[in-house]
């Protein structure tokens, strides 16, 4: 052992004999909380039950340094102590699974939090109120912060400073005045029941971000997004319907992590809010709220809110941090990932916009239970699109897609996870849709037709974006077959599946009619037009998509006439 702040670690004790516990964890468990929370007493019991070693970080530090922590603070100061503490914790977590009790200030250190996250350990916050803590810390003259201090005042100060940081833990267990065995029971039950959200990285050069997918994420929003923010202050943009349902839960989640909601703005629901007028009004209101360049814009809502808020974030003060919290299936599986933002013009959809990547995406699949059935079906159209692009996911769509549309939680989670897996990979390879062929442009499957039909309907709510995409998928499959690219049976297969889940599969399914001239005019204004030529994403089969820029307009016109268009 050494007596300097290198804190050489005493070798860990041997693990318990096989069979001494019913189940050992696959990763280490780190207990955090204020002094007196019971980290050591609960940790020892938990480790014994799990059949793994228990370690107390403070005890390891004192043994390694050969002196009490009060002396280390006095002689070397807190910054030096924290550096050594961080090395101790990193070394302990680098070994076999263990239960580790940390000092109250360890997790409050940003670098230590990152080291614990990087180790893959499960962090559990033992949240205890001051009435329970006070008798436990009274007379604690072995800790520097309590020397000659009023314990209640110290705890109040620590709670204000550390609770927002503790909120970044994976799991929070509210503890009370009870026997240690009872608390251990509840901590063990919480760990056993814990289902970690999925994290999919969008690996962009030097500025990647995670898409986090799971249930209950709004309640933990602050702790999840805080590590991705430059400062703990945000402005939330939502629509009136979504805000009524989900803004209170989001606010509570943000406030738990000490994140100030500097402004909370709402726009009317529907595609009409993706307009220059709404964009201007939101910009003025946001700037009037006193935001600065470290204030993150949080988009809480569907694709309309995400596109609008993202464009606001891209352009306000020449760029603000941006967080996506999508609340519709369509937004969770598609529009929230990839950084495409924008608003509509009279000439067409998304013709004013910017690429502006979020810092993180929180896809809380639990909120999908609040969606109207029509919105859920519309969002599923993008899942079907991803299935046609990926191949095996299309097989899943035909076999189990109806369960997702019916609201089955497991099916919805699978749809979101696999769609985001596909999209994150495509975006990472071609962030700004610059590939000459293929690349991110493939994600526009069905959209050239769909956007034209949607624009012709005037964005009045009579046709949802996802419904337009469904129509576009059917038309893209039919154009592929007409050009001899795919099996003649594919269009019928696509249309049959879309119809089976309740989506419009043919233009003839709509109550209104279109002209060939009008739809062709809309498509010629599409963003994907190059050198005056239409570009389509077409199919050789599921999992075999290609971009085509040499499709003759006559072929498209003939297809539209067959699809019930006039002219």
């Amino acid at each position: 052992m050494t007596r300097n702040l290198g804190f050489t670690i005493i070798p860990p004790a041997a693990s318990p004999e096989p069979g001494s516990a019913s189940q050992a964890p696959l990763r280490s468990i780190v207990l955090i909380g204020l002094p007196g929370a019971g980290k050591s007493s609960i940790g020892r019991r938990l480790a014994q039950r799990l059949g793994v070693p228990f370690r107390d970080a403070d005890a390891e530090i004192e043994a390694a340094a050969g002196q009490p922590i009060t002396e280390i603070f006095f002689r070397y100061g807190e910054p030096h102590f924290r550096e050594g503490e961080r090395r101790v914790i990193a070394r302990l977590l680098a070994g076999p699974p263990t239960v580790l009790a940390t000092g109250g200030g360890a997790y409050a250190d940003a670098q230590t939090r990152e080291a614990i996250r990087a180790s893959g350990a499960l962090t559990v916050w033992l949240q205890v109120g001051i009435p329970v803590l006070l008798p436990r810390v009274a007379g604690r003259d072995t800790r520097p912060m309590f020397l000659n201090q009023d314990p209640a005042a110290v705890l109040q100060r620590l709670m204000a400073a550390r609770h927002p940081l503790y909120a970044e833990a994976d799991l929070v267990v509210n503890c009370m005045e009870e026997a240690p065995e009872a608390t251990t029971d509840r901590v063990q039950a919480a760990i056993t029941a814990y289902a970690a959200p999925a994290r999919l990285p969008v690996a962009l050069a030097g500025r990647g971000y995670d898409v986090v997918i799971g249930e209950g994420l709004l309640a933990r929003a602050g702790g999840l997004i805080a590590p991705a923010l430059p400062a703990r202050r945000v402005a939330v943009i939502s629509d009136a319907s979504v805000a009524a349902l989900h803004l209170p839960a989001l606010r509570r989640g943000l406030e738990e992590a000490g994140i100030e909601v500097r402004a909370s703005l709402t726009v009317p629901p529907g595609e009409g809010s993706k307009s220059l007028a709404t964009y201007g009004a939101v910009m003025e209101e946001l700037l009037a709220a006193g935001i600065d360049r470290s204030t993150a814009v949080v988009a809480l809502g569907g694709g309309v809110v995400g596109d609008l808020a993202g464009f606001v974030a891209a352009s306000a003060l020449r760029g603000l941090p941006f967080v996506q919290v999508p609340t519709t299936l369509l937004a969770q599986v598609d529009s929230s990932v990839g950084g495409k933002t924008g608003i509509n013009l009279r000439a067409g959809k998304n013709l004013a916009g910017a690429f502006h990547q979020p810092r993180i995406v929180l896809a809380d699949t639990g909120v999908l239970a609040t969606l109207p059935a029509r919105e859920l079906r519309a969002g599923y159209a993008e899942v079907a699109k991803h299935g046609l692009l990926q191949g095996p996911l299309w097989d899943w769509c035909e076999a189990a897609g109806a369960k997702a549309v019916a609201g089955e939680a497991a099916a919805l989670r699978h749809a979101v996870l696999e769609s985001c897996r596909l999209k994150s990979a495509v975006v990472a390879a071609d962030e700004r849709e610059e590939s000459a062929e293929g690349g991110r442009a493939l994600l526009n499957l069905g959209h050239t037709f769909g956007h034209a039909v949607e624009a012709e309907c005037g964005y009045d709510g009579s046709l949802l974006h996802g419904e337009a995409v469904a129509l576009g998928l059917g038309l893209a499959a039919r154009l592929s077959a007409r050009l001899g690219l795919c099996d003649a049976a594919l269009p019928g297969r696509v249309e049959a599946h879309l119809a089976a889940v309740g989506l419009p599969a043919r233009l003839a399914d709509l109550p209104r009619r279109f002209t060939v001239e009008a739809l062709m005019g809309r498509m010629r204004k599409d963003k994907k037009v190059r050198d005056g030529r239409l570009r389509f994403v077409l199919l050789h089969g599921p999992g075999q998509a290609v971009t085509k820029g040499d499709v003759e307009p006559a072929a498209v016109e003939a297809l539209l006439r067959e699809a019930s268009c006039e002219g």
Side-chain angles (χ1 to χ4, degrees):
M1 120 185 16
T2 180
R3 294 181 181 271
N4 59 39
L5 288 187
F7 296 150
T8 299
I9 298 302
I10 298 172
S15 298
E17 291 295 322
S20 61
S22 59
Q23 182 182 10
L26 298 177
R27 55 177 171 162
S28 291
I29 295 167
V30 177
L31 302 181
I32 66 171
L34 291 177
K39 300 183 293 294
S40 295
S41 62
I42 302 305
R44 287 191 182 92
R45 290 170 171 82
L46 185 62
Q48 184 176 25
R49 294 183 184 189
L50 297 176
V52 299
F54 169 73
R55 294 287 177 267
D56 184 307
D58 283 353
E60 297 281 344
I61 290 168
E62 290 183 334
Q67 53 191 301
I69 287 176
T70 49
E71 182 67 18
I72 299 172
F73 263 73
F74 177 76
R75 294 182 61 183
Y76 301 102
E78 184 173 1
H80 206 174
F81 169 79
R82 295 298 175 201
E83 181 183 348
E85 178 184 54
R86 185 163 54 253
R87 289 198 296 269
V88 166
I89 290 172
R91 285 184 180 181
L92 289 170
L93 295 179
T98 186
V99 174
L100 174 65
T102 63
Y107 202 71
D109 179 82
Q111 290 178 287
T112 301
R113 288 199 304 279
E114 181 54 37
I116 292 172
R117 275 194 289 266
S119 76
L122 176 70
T123 310
V124 182
W125 174 16
L126 304 183
Q127 190 178 52
V128 186
I130 287 181
V132 176
L133 292 173
L134 196 54
R136 297 180 182 178
V137 302
R140 275 200 177 187
D141 55 3
T142 58
R143 289 296 180 265
M145 67 191 70
F146 289 103
L147 286 173
N148 305 314
Q149 297 290 321
D150 174 17
V154 171
L155 288 173
Q156 288 280 6
R157 186 172 67 250
L158 292 177
M159 186 174 288
R162 293 179 180 177
H163 272 201
L165 304 172
Y166 291 165
E168 296 181 28
D170 298 307
L171 189 57
V172 181
V173 179
N174 292 311
C175 302
M176 57 196 75
E177 186 57 68
E178 60 185 355
E181 288 295 337
T183 302
T184 306
D185 287 342
R186 293 193 301 105
V187 172
Q188 186 176 9
I191 291 171
T192 301
Y194 175 68
R199 281 184 177 265
L200 294 175
V202 181
L204 303 175
R207 52 193 167 82
Y209 57 92
D210 285 346
V211 181
V212 186
I213 302 164
E215 293 196 24
L217 302 189
L218 287 187
R220 303 297 319 284
L224 289 166
I225 73 173
L229 300 183
R232 290 182 184 244
R233 55 182 174 272
V234 301
V236 179
I237 299 176
S238 187
D239 73 44
S241 297
V242 171
L245 288 170
H246 302 304
L247 183 57
L250 177 65
R251 273 187 171 274
R252 289 192 297 270
L254 294 172
E255 289 166 359
E256 183 180 59
I259 295 177
E260 174 195 357
V261 180
R262 184 156 289 186
S264 180
L265 317 180
T266 58
V267 300
E271 193 75 20
S273 286
K274 282 179 57 173
S275 66
L276 279 171
T278 305
Y279 166 78
V282 169
M283 287 283 281
E284 294 288 356
E285 195 173 349
L286 196 63
L287 294 170
I291 61 157
D292 58 30
R293 294 193 70 185
S294 294
T295 304
V297 172
V298 177
L300 174 69
V304 168
V305 167
D307 285 358
L308 172 66
F311 190 35
V312 168
S315 49
L317 303 180
R318 293 193 173 93
L320 300 178
F322 178 44
V323 175
Q324 285 270 22
V325 185
T327 59
T328 66
L329 181 59
L330 187 147
Q332 290 190 5
V333 302
D334 188 62
S335 60
S336 65
V337 180
K340 279 188 177 181
T341 72
I343 57 176
N344 304 330
L345 303 179
R346 282 194 296 270
K349 189 176 175 72
N350 296 329
L351 293 183
F355 285 96
H356 190 56
Q357 298 290 349
R359 296 293 185 95
I360 190 171
V361 178
L362 297 188
D364 186 338
T365 55
V367 306
L368 299 179
T370 66
L371 283 181
R374 185 185 176 197
E375 289 279 357
L376 197 62
R377 287 195 302 269
Y380 178 79
E382 293 285 357
V383 180
K385 179 198 77 176
H386 291 142
L388 287 168
L389 292 173
Q390 194 250 17
L393 181 56
W394 174 251
D395 295 334
W396 178 87
C397 286
E398 291 186 305
K403 295 180 181 178
V405 173
E408 185 181 289
L412 284 171
R413 188 179 189 279
H414 182 84
V416 175
L417 181 62
E418 294 307 315
S419 290
C420 288
R421 195 188 309 280
L422 169 77
K423 186 160 187 183
S424 62
V426 173
V427 169
D430 183 22
E431 179 185 356
R432 292 179 173 266
E433 202 170 313
E434 294 170 332
S435 293
E437 297 297 334
R440 187 166 180 170
L442 295 176
L443 295 170
N444 292 306
L445 176 65
H447 282 59
T448 301
F449 288 112
H451 282 171
V453 176
E454 190 178 7
E456 196 63 14
C457 288
Y459 310 117
D460 60 2
S462 63
L463 184 72
L464 300 180
H465 174 68
E467 293 168 340
V469 169
L471 292 166
L473 293 176
L475 288 167
R478 291 214 165 269
L479 183 57
S480 300
R482 172 179 285 272
L483 298 176
L485 299 178
C486 69
D487 188 286
L490 182 62
R493 184 177 164 190
V494 171
E495 291 170 352
H497 176 63
L498 295 172
V501 298
L503 284 164
R506 296 169 175 264
L507 287 177
D509 295 337
L510 300 184
R512 62 167 294 169
R513 292 293 171 262
F514 306 89
T515 67
V516 172
E517 180 182 10
L519 293 183
M520 291 297 292
R522 295 287 186 184
M523 285 189 278
R524 288 191 176 98
K525 294 176 181 176
D526 191 89
K527 301 184 303 299
K528 297 175 287 299
V529 169
R530 290 187 184 175
D531 300 322
R533 298 186 67 86
L534 296 174
R535 297 179 77 241
F536 292 92
V537 181
L538 301 175
L539 295 165
H540 289 292
Q544 299 174 292
V546 294
T547 53
K548 295 280 286 182
D550 58 353
V551 179
E552 290 298 329
V556 183
E557 292 169 358
L559 175 70
L560 292 175
R561 280 191 288 271
E562 285 183 6
S564 80
C565 292
E566 299 173 357

